[in-house]
Amino acid sequence: MNPNQNASTPAAWFAIGIWAVLSLGWIASDKMVPDGDEQGHIGAAELFLSDLGSSNPLGFMHRLWWEQMGEYPQAFTAGVGLWWWLMDGGQPGRASVRGICLLSLVIAAIAVGRITRRYTTNDTRDFAQATSTVLVLCIPLANGVTRHFMPEGALLAAVAVTLLMAHRFVEHPTLWRGIHLGVFIGLGLLTKQTFILMVALPLGWLLTRLRTQHLLSLGTVFLAAALVAGPWLAHNSTDQLTYGLSSWSGHGDANLFEHLAYYPITTLSLGLGPFLAIAGIVALVQLLRAHDKRVLILGATWLLGGIILLTLVPKKYPRLMTPLLPAAIIWISVAIAKSRSPRRWLLSTVTLAVTWLVITSTQTIPLSFTSKAIDPGCPQSWLRPPDGRDLGLERTANLLKDMPDGPILLIGAPAIPCTVQTTHDWIEHLRPYLRRNGDERTVHQDPTLAHSSIIDWSGGPGEQVEIPALSTSLSIRAKLTP
């Protein structure tokens, strides 16, 4: 059956529009304080925001291409900081700021669609491309991660676009296509170190298809990548070596089976979800029967090869595998396009995938394969319902506006349990919240230091702020003067 190509592209763009509206609605409804790792990335982005806000573009570029700001490179946080500045600063949780993270999944969906069309016949290319674009938007873990300020979301786009550029370069090795590929490799390296684990095998396989007379053109690729990422990598090589060694040390005592099973089980349960996982397995069987070697090798080097390389790293987190998941979508889309009833298979697959995505985005369902032996800490939750509870930050900030100027004393703040959010102490959220509201007052917990206002979690007089998520409340009052 020959699908109707004329309707494929508009349908894909319509799906992107619907997805964007629903995703922005999710973000607008979610007020929960950021995860601890996420808060670190927001803090780094705020430094880039500060550079631009103080008219210091050279400082911005210095941070991006030279300075060490924690464990990771800075391409993602620099991009967020730039967008945050364009949105006039303020709270990063606003949908107009936080929504920039969703762009990564849109870019990945479009790139994966353009890769997919290269593995089908002329009469099904548009259909396969649209199918792949829509299904990438349905990947559960990819949706969860890109709703937050996490570099794995940006890495999802970086890997997909890099492999698309590699396809274009291999098909027609020109100077400009080599530069394009090298630039995106460099940007990927500046996004997160695990980029190399994601692209090494599929990129290596693609480049082996270059003809001998074009091997010298690889120099253009390496030169462009070195110009983009080389300064930062060279300047921070010692710190990066230390970071790499710490990743190899692990932080648990899991046995071999637990390490081997971690990412395969996570792929099926949290990564793709049951319906896309089943569709991927069925598609793999169909492609094996059809002896479709090219698409099988692409998926095997991208998804399976990436899982193997990640498995070799003792430290394991579900979010790390996000950039690998689109490979399964390519298998599914090609198999659907080549089936006898492509429209029927597409409708059923999309319906089930969307249903699962909606359920996991609106209901609390335990999905993570968490082994305390692998990760003894609290498990991070990326795929969850929106949570409108901000732990009293907005009301507290508003009440403090009516308090005397000067330092603020915080008394008896409870720890935030990981059942609510894996994050830092409440005071570490209040400080940046006030600063981003334009309130630069000091907040401390030492009663012997000067203070003009008191936030008291142990009770007492003052304006009351209920914190249902923590089953408690706080009071705000001015310091009594003799």
Side-chain angles (χ1 to χ4, degrees), residues 223-386:
L223 178 60
L227 289 174
V228 173
W232 190 89
L233 292 173
H235 182 248
N236 299 289
S237 58
T238 302
D239 291 330
Q240 288 304 292
L241 179 60
T242 302
Y243 168 74
L245 292 175
S246 68
S247 296
W248 282 100
S249 65
H251 50 189
D253 56 355
N255 58 40
L256 178 61
F257 173 78
E258 287 173 312
H259 277 287
L260 294 177
Y262 185 88
Y263 284 117
I265 292 178
T266 301
T267 300
L268 300 176
S269 61
L270 176 61
L272 293 171
F275 299 120
L276 283 178
I278 292 172
I281 294 171
V282 172
L284 176 60
V285 172
Q286 294 300 318
L287 295 172
L288 285 169
R289 288 179 177 176
H291 303 288
D292 201 333
K293 293 182 180 179
R294 289 176 61 245
V295 72
L296 284 170
I297 294 174
L298 175 68
T301 53
W302 187 349
L303 176 61
L304 304 181
I307 286 177
I308 291 172
L309 292 179
L310 283 179
T311 299
L312 296 176
V313 180
K315 282 189 177 180
K316 293 176 170 60
Y317 304 101
R319 68 177 190 271
L320 298 183
M321 63 177 300
T322 306
L324 303 177
L325 301 174
I329 300 301
I330 295 178
W331 279 345
I332 295 169
S333 302
V334 171
I336 289 176
K338 293 184 175 182
S339 67
R340 294 182 180 179
S341 304
R343 293 176 186 166
R344 183 188 306 169
W345 282 109
L346 172 62
L347 179 61
S348 59
T349 303
V350 169
T351 299
L352 291 173
V354 169
T355 299
W356 182 251
L357 178 60
V358 170
I359 290 174
T360 53
S361 299
T362 58
Q363 305 294 323
T364 301
I365 302 176
L367 296 170
S368 298
F369 169 61
T370 55
S371 171
K372 292 298 183 182
I374 289 180
D375 185 3
C378 294
Q380 295 173 315
S381 178
W382 303 115
L383 192 61
R384 59 169 177 80

Side-chain angles (χ1 to χ4, degrees), residues 29-36 39 384 386-400 410 412-431 433-434 455-457 463-476:
S29 301
D30 186 53
K31 307 298 183 183
M32 178 52 63
V33 297
D35 169 85
Q39 188 174 2
R384 59 169 177 80
D387 194 331
R389 306 170 298 177
D390 74 341
L391 305 188
L393 289 174
E394 182 177 7
R395 177 161 168 74
T396 298
N398 289 335
L399 289 174
L400 287 171
L410 179 64
I416 300 174
C418 59
T419 52
V420 174
Q421 178 64 291
T422 50
T423 192
H424 301 301
D425 292 338
W426 191 80
I427 189 174
E428 301 304 329
H429 294 281
L430 179 64
R431 285 168 172 159
Y433 195 97
L434 293 177
I455 300 175
D456 193 348
W457 287 74
E463 295 284 351
Q464 300 295 310
V465 179
E466 297 294 329
I467 317 291
L470 302 179
S471 301
T472 186
S473 63
L474 59 84
S475 64
I476 300 177

Side-chain angles (χ1 to χ4, degrees), residues 22-318:
L22 294 176
S23 296
L24 286 171
W26 191 100
I27 285 177
S29 301
D30 186 53
K31 307 298 183 183
M32 178 52 63
V33 297
D35 169 85
D37 287 339
E38 183 183 8
Q39 188 174 2
H41 302 311
I42 295 172
E46 190 172 12
L47 294 176
F48 286 104
L49 166 68
S50 177
D51 288 333
L52 295 174
S54 58
S55 300
N56 184 20
L58 291 180
F60 182 98
M61 301 304 293
H62 183 268
R63 291 185 195 277
L64 174 59
W65 264 293
W66 193 254
E67 190 174 336
Q68 175 85 13
M69 293 172 57
E71 296 177 336
Y72 305 143
Q74 278 84 244
F76 169 68
T77 51
V80 171
L82 173 60
W83 180 256
W84 197 352
W85 175 70
L86 291 173
M87 295 295 105
D88 294 325
Q91 297 297 337
R94 292 155 40 217
S96 59
V97 178
R98 186 174 168 187
I100 191 62
C101 300
L102 298 173
L103 185 61
S104 295
L105 187 48
V106 175
I107 293 172
I110 294 172
V112 172
R114 294 187 66 82
I115 293 173
T116 302
R117 68 180 288 114
R118 289 166 160 80
Y119 292 88
T120 54
T121 56
N122 289 334
D123 59 341
T124 59
R125 282 181 177 173
D126 291 342
F127 179 85
Q129 177 179 346
T131 299
S132 192
T133 299
V134 172
L135 289 179
V136 168
L137 297 175
C138 297
I139 298 176
L141 184 56
N143 276 271
V145 169
T146 54
R147 291 169 185 159
H148 298 84
F149 293 100
M150 295 300 293
E152 288 79 11
L155 204 61
L156 172 72
V159 169
V161 174
T162 296
L163 295 180
L164 173 60
M165 294 298 107
H167 278 86
R168 295 179 72 250
F169 176 69
V170 170
E171 291 163 357
H172 189 45
T174 65
L175 173 65
W176 285 113
R177 290 190 176 193
I179 292 174
H180 292 162
L181 174 57
V183 166
F184 280 103
I185 290 175
L187 290 175
L189 291 171
L190 286 180
T191 301
K192 193 175 181 184
Q193 299 90 332
T194 49
F195 172 80
I196 195 64
L197 301 179
M198 309 293 168
V199 301
L201 296 179
L203 181 60
W205 172 69
L206 287 168
L207 293 180
T208 60
R209 295 163 54 189
L210 277 174
R211 295 181 180 179
T212 304
Q213 62 266 35
H214 295 308
L215 290 179
L216 290 177
S217 60
L218 283 175
T220 305
V221 177
F222 294 135
L223 178 60
L227 289 174
V228 173
W232 190 89
L233 292 173
H235 182 248
N236 299 289
S237 58
T238 302
D239 291 330
Q240 288 304 292
L241 179 60
T242 302
Y243 168 74
L245 292 175
S246 68
S247 296
W248 282 100
S249 65
H251 50 189
D253 56 355
N255 58 40
L256 178 61
F257 173 78
E258 287 173 312
H259 277 287
L260 294 177
Y262 185 88
Y263 284 117
I265 292 178
T266 301
T267 300
L268 300 176
S269 61
L270 176 61
L272 293 171
F275 299 120
L276 283 178
I278 292 172
I281 294 171
V282 172
L284 176 60
V285 172
Q286 294 300 318
L287 295 172
L288 285 169
R289 288 179 177 176
H291 303 288
D292 201 333
K293 293 182 180 179
R294 289 176 61 245
V295 72
L296 284 170
I297 294 174
L298 175 68
T301 53
W302 187 349
L303 176 61
L304 304 181
I307 286 177
I308 291 172
L309 292 179
L310 283 179
T311 299
L312 296 176
V313 180
K315 282 189 177 180
K316 293 176 170 60
Y317 304 101

